[in-house]
Amino acid sequence: MELEGEKPKYGEPRKYDPTFKGPIYNRGCTDIVCCILFIICILGYVAVGILAWSQGDPRKVIYPTDSRGQFCGQAGTPLETKPLLFYFNIMKCASPMVLLEFQCPTTQMCVEKCPDKFLTLLKAYTNKEDFKYYKNFCKEGLEGLTVTQILSSGLCPAMLTPSKPFTRRCFPALDQKKGGEITVGNNSKFDDGEGNIRDAKDLVAGVKNATVVIEARQVVMKIFEDYTQSWYWILIGLVIAMLISLLFIVLLRFLAGIMVWVMIVMVILVIGYGIFHCSMEYVSLKSEAGSNVTLKDLGFQTDFSVYLHIRQTWLAFIIILAIVEVVIILLLIFLRNRILIAIALIKEASRAIGYVMSALFYPLFTFALLSIVIAYWAVTAVFLSTSNQPIYKVFNETACDHSRKICEPANFSTSSMKAECPDSKCLFAFYGGETVYHKYLIGLQFYNVFLFFWCANFVTALGQMTLAGAFASYYWAFVKPDDMPAFPIFSSLGRSLRYHTGSLAFGSLILSIIQIIRVLLEYIDHKLQGTQNKCTKFLLCCLKCCFWCLEKFIKFINRNAYIMVAIYGKNFCTSAKDAFFLLMRNMIRVAVLDKVTDFLLFLGKLLIVGLVGNLLRFTVDNQVKAFENTAPNLHYYWVPILTVVVGSYLIAHGFFSVYAMCVDTLFLCFLEDLERNDGSAERPFLMSDRLLKVLNKKNKPEPAE
């Protein structure tokens, strides 16, 4: 375990200090410059939020917008009773400009209902009842005008086609017969209102392009509906995950050795059951028609349940689970002796948590702070993205020099643009702006994202330093708990905020810069997906890999630096250097103890996620008779299951993170203990007898008088 007689290669070991009794209480403020910078940035973040809330309008996300930029169906407006958006000529939505500007180059208006029959303006004009119906889809001011005047003024569409509402928009009610023939309103042809008989398939391109932007919204709405139907199941699943996590922690406190082995066996059994279940599903699909379709041929489907009817999906699950099972078993075989050492460390961590029970509930405080940070970022992002002004552009059918230029709808009919391009229209295009605020809007969005990373990392760092200070006070207490503070968590939290806000901000700033670079690399990679430059793709892949590794390394350094700051009260850079050199001087112990312990705790998280996820799957999938009639009717059954799986992991991670932080803190402390002391009567080790036995160390008895 320890190489005797070898000189340390990384820095000088700690010297014996008889006055050292744990976390230094007489300390000063660290990294003051970074503390001031962080406070200024937070004040700027608040200013950005206030500016966004004063300029933004979330209604732009909720309601469809007509050609005048008005919201269809908004309560308290004249259009309250007209929630649907109607396109005058849906076939013009086949223009590529729809994909670029997200706006169809045809007049759009809010209507109460979608048209339900074929009708042309020319035919409706000759029938009083038909024309009365037709006016529901026209602008005002039709009195005394002929059909030609109405069409030239763009007051009415040339035709109406049977339509159905889809995400608050009217789209032709297209259908496909068995022979593959496209129909609309049971007719394969229609009159376009200009004397031409068109095929119904001509509407397909327009409908496809018009829905390219809102198909994602439909999926989101279905997911939202699933949440409204299954929220109580999700809540029950998360509560069960919390109770199981708490039960695990309590059992680890008293039965650490037994619980670790039970946990290992149960993980192996759960994964084995998963392999068996997937194998049964794979065999049962053998006789089902269409189950041999490959995932590549199937492509992307919004209904993920489709993939569960493909044999290749279950084969992939079997292979993945089998690999995980084999890897875990091999690790257990080769690391069986190391696991015994790690169990001893977990037992010591359990004893420490027994003296600092309030640490178990500290993740709730961290979770609350993170929720505030996430909510503030999300609300600010929505208001920033909806703070643009409506921009109107010239849309036309024939060639025009003013095409796609910005225009004003109020005076467009008398403008020179209209005179030079008689068939042009001034329609709402998108939301934008030319003011200073709108020019720097993308910069404000970037600032919002960056401060989100910085604040989130700061909250996480605060939790790590607070727990480290509390557990360090336990380790270095000569007589426990008499030499410990009355409230270790509150004492450590107060020291961290009072003296080390700058160090917390410094460490989280470094990590945030790396994370924002990774986001930019992902954005660049997304933009270059259509290119065939293999050299660029290889370079981006290398950069993403390097920054991923760098982020992991910085997280590791930060975590240990915060522990050293909590103990000695030095600045961030000095603490990071001391922690790094201390770990490098004990590299073998780091690999043996710390990482094996992390692996065991990860198995605990995996077990909790597996138990809760499978329990909810059986319930939602009507496989539990007791809940057979209470399971919700959902579009996507994976929505509540995936939500609970992710939520269960986060909850388990929150509880087990206390153990992980306790283990890391005790690990650094006993490395310091080994360097400071030698086990003699004058310099006894402060670690427990259990750890002394694990490390083959012992305290020498005091000499007899």
Side-chain angles (χ1 to χ4, degrees), residues 2 46 111 164 263 266 269 279 409 413 418 447 453 458 470 511 540 549 571 573 583 663 668:
E2 185 179 15
V46 174
V111 296
K164 292 181 179 179
M263 189 167 56
M266 289 189 69
L269 291 177
S279 301
S413 59
K418 181 68 174 178
Y447 185 79
F453 281 124
F458 179 87
L511 184 58
L540 274 174
C549 294
N571 62 49
C573 291
L583 293 173
V663 168
L668 281 183

Side-chain angles (χ1 to χ4, degrees), residues 274-275 278-279 281-282 285 295 307-308 310-324:
I275 296 173
C278 293
S279 301
E281 292 287 346
Y282 179 79
L285 288 173
L295 295 173
Y307 296 107
L308 300 181
I310 306 300
R311 296 184 73 198
Q312 198 177 75
T313 303
W314 294 104
L315 180 61
F317 287 158
I318 293 172
I319 294 173
I320 293 171
L321 291 175
I323 292 174
V324 173

Side-chain angles (χ1 to χ4, degrees), residues 233 277 281 305 308-309 314 613-625 627-632 634 637-638 640-641:
W233 287 107
H277 176 75
E281 292 287 346
S305 62
L308 300 181
H309 297 280
W314 294 104
N614 278 292
L615 179 62
L616 186 67
R617 186 180 68 84
F618 290 140
T619 304
V620 173
D621 210 16
N622 290 319
Q623 296 187 31
V624 179
K625 292 185 178 181
F627 303 103
E628 196 170 4
N629 298 322
T630 60
L634 306 174
Y637 283 99
W638 55 265
I641 296 174

